[in-house]
Amino acid sequence: MRRRSMVVALLTVPLILPPWSGATTQEPAASPALTPVLAEFVGEVAIGRDALRAPAGVAVDAARTLYVIDAANNVVRIFAHDGTPIATWGERGTGLGQFAFSEGHTIWGDLALGSDGNLYVLDALNSRVQVITPDGTYVQEWGGAGSAPGLFTDPKGIAIDRAGLIYVADGGNRRVQVFDDVGHVLAKWGDPLLGGESLHDPTDVAIDAGGTVWVTDWVTQRVYRFATEDTDFTGVGERGVLSADFSMPIGAAVDAHGTLYVADFHGHQIQVFAPDGAPLGSIGSVGVQPGQFLGPRYLTVSPDGLLYVAEEGNRRVSIFRLLQPLTSPAGTAGSA
């Protein structure tokens, strides 16, 4: 597997698609003048309506098979492209193929698909990454509780780049760790960072095709950008009232155009940014109707360009068709 050079020191820092098969479609609500319509709601997958369900991390493969963590039940649920349940993996525990995504009111857990087709599950409360084949067969694991390189404290998000490198938002250790596909730690960003800022509790990671790494931090209420080839570091967004501000950013994802999508958990919306960090607008509003959100937590963009959003409050995964191309407010596409 080709390894992309990472210049960071260890211990430092228009795709028009058919709607979701079998789902009810809905026209997007009328938008005020000058407010761009960035996506159209096309369907949803209900994880369960009772209080003992809580979707967290999501991943979608090329066949539109949906993998979603049901954190409250400590399992991974799998759905076909039409929303039909296929399988449920795991149970509460510390053994191979068992998971710990929730404890009391604490809910964390994320997953990502590798180029090998395997699912990399961030088994958050067990402080490890488990690797599982598409048919549910356990392959390997790495990690453990602690602060040394390769160990985790309250990890929250996982992502995989095109070279197959695995990035983990190691929240309790205030860093992002980078691994190869067998769990060898290659690098980490920690405290302090370039630019004089620090990660406080990173929650998720997203990597675009050019290698730019975006990291959400729900404590600083910011999203940070790292260019791994030249160690550039910038941050976008602050807590406040402007459209580019956040109220607890958690999940992050990028599409094939480099557009960044951030799940604003307490803002009940998805905030959207150009590749250069310029705010483009938002998707959704607070509510229980199709296309609205209650506590969006994690999200992903499928290989065919659909946006999948896991909502903790509505206990569902909502699916949107993204309207491309998205450009910066000045009308020109941003560049990373």
Side-chain angles (χ1 to χ4, degrees), residues 11 20 35 48 53 59 77-78 116 121 126 157 174 178 196 198 208 215 223 234 239 245 266 276 281 283 299 304 317:
L11 301 179
W20 175 263
T35 301
R53 300 289 175 94
R77 300 189 185 277
I78 301 93
D116 55 6
V121 182
N126 282 328
R174 299 187 175 190
V178 187
S198 301
D208 70 17
V215 180
V223 179
T234 59
R239 187 170 184 174
D245 295 343
H266 281 163
D276 61 0
I283 299 169
L299 67 172
D304 58 358
V317 176

Side-chain angles (χ1 to χ4, degrees), residues 69-71 73-76 88-102 108 110 121-132 136-142:
I69 288 174
D70 181 353
N73 287 286
N74 300 291
V75 298
V76 177
T88 299
W89 297 345
E91 61 184 355
R92 173 80 187 196
T94 61
L96 305 182
Q98 296 179 322
F99 307 108
F101 300 126
S102 64
W108 292 109
D110 196 13
V121 182
L122 183 58
D123 186 6
L125 301 187
N126 282 328
S127 299
R128 64 184 177 182
V129 174
Q130 293 198 63
V131 184
I132 302 172
T137 302
Y138 169 85
V139 176
Q140 63 175 321
E141 68 176 58
W142 69 78

